[in-house]
Amino acid sequence: MIDLAAELNSASEKVNRFLNECLATGKPEELYEAARHIVSAGGKRLRPFIVIESCRLVGGDPERAVPMAAAVELVHNFTLVHDDIMDQDDKRRGVPTVHVQYGISMAINAGDMLFAKAYQAALESQPKGLSSKKTLQALETLTKAILRICEGQAMDMDFVKRETVGEDEYIEMIGLKTAVLLEASAIVGATVGGGSNREIHRLGRAMMAAGLAFQLVDDVLGLTADEAVLGKPVGSDIREGKKTLIVAHGLGHMGKRQKDILLRGLGNKAAETGEIEAAINALRSSGSINYTARKADLYARKARRELDGFPASETRSLLLALIDYVVARDR
Amino acid sequence: MIDLAAELNSASEKVNRFLNECLATGKPEELYEAARHIVSAGGKRLRPFIVIESCRLVGGDPERAVPMAAAVELVHNFTLVHDDIMDQDDKRRGVPTVHVQYGISMAINAGDMLFAKAYQAALESQPKGLSSKKTLQALETLTKAILRICEGQAMDMDFVKRETVGEDEYIEMIGLKTAVLLEASAIVGATVGGGSNREIHRLGRAMMAAGLAFQLVDDVLGLTADEAVLGKPVGSDIREGKKTLIVAHGLGHMGKRQKDILLRGLGNKAAETGEIEAAINALRSSGSINYTARKADLYARKARRELDGFPASETRSLLLALIDYVVARDR
């Protein structure tokens, strides 16, 4: 019997222990506090889990993957801190974002520190017995992923300024901004575990697809979830003018009346709650939310197919359960 | 006959070629443009020079040090982009800063990209024949230096909020924020060159001292240089409320009248040019500018003494000439 929650929890604990050591008190205290603020606010630790289980899936010792797992989580957290500044998001994981709590300058700096800490964590793989060659290979994967994330973030910001965005462009953007780090988590984990090139690439493809599903579900939840569970305001993507697949589909398939309702909320920072709700309802009526949820299912199916290429094992079942969770979660 | 300018130039050309390739067109174009904006605006390329010459000094092939030299310069540039946002600086190297030209969000993102590009550049050392072990050793040095730079930047921002700052605290801060990257340049270069631990540490100490001298001279130039040569407004440190050693000394040694004049300009964003000039004159009268210049000379002397520990060679003379330049430059 596969207990995903228990396994996620156990991986989280290992990685959190490592992260806590990594960000233990330093000087100036406020900088370290700001860096710990985001890391200790929670988060699902999905990426570290993928690193560790990918290592295990190809027959490696999962303990050896912990520093790289922490590194990937630190990269993720650094991008969240900087993205929240760029997107002017006030809440994340149910608490004020770093720049709201500590100011923009401190948040830029704390993000930079988390970025460097990611490499410091990754370099701890060697004392855990990872060869120099494999350490460098993993660092290369991580570095390339970060560059792609920067490109994806720039595309995302550009989309906000544009009137329309094609569906393919949106998928390309979230591939860069989000899915690439899940892909990298799998590749890094399988590299640490000593997987063959074939295994490494298959796991990478699986998690790239899972990452696309993940982001599409995130977009759906951003409009439909319970705010208390979500940890941030429902509909903030609409208010910020984010051209998600939902919005791209809506703009392409709505009648004039519905479209006007959507446009009244889209990118309107001063919109009333009622206007945002109306925009969400318009997107529900046009089938755009369902359309996106179905797309997410398709990517999840692709991810499962790739994983089916590995021999049956408890770890494979766990990763398959992760894919199920990605599309079925409520936050 | 040592021709420092010619050698600086030749190192610059090599590193610039590498940097240009590194930041060649990518997508989205504007992100790469923003990243190239700061890198191609010039800069003295002192850090790459130190990497290359430190490699040569310990008997290594300087060609092999070019990727690490570029990496250090990319780190330097990333910190400039982010620091200019935090310090609200409008000009750098005679052109608008990245956030002024491209907006704060793009500047945060471009800085992050330069950060990742630094690691990508460093990882290019392997194809140039550097062993995995030494590549990792250099990456560790670089990573630690970046963490220190973040700490130094946080101290610097904290100082702006404080009324007074001790001289020792200021030296500690610039040690972290500035000198550590010159130290790292030397350590990385000597590591690539295959230097002994003794050589590596000696070069590190030399460049740490040179870095302190460099920043103190920078602070002096910021108040005394010709604005056209400086590339940014004279006295901007005063306007921003920076507690440089000059200001720390001034506040500790001025009479009430002079102190009032200084405080009228210090941290006063809306100060008239005349008020900033008066504050600078007060610091000149109190001997604080001379005091700082003398301190810089002391650190330069320490740097020379460390270099004297190496056998005489053309490279050593070149590094000694660099120290002379650091304290004698006009920008």
Side-chain angles (χ1 to χ4, degrees), chain B residues 32-47:
Chain B
Y32 282 82
E33 244 181 70
R36 285 193 301 264
H37 177 80
I38 171 96
V39 175
S40 61
K44 298 173 275 287
R45 307 287 192 246
L46 291 185
R47 293 158 192 81

Side-chain angles (χ1 to χ4, degrees), chain A residues 29-51:
Chain A
E29 182 51 41
E30 202 190 355
L31 174 64
Y32 281 81
E33 244 182 68
R36 285 193 302 264
H37 176 79
I38 171 95
V39 174
S40 61
K44 299 173 277 283
R45 307 289 193 246
L46 292 184
R47 293 158 192 81
F49 179 77
I50 294 172
V51 175

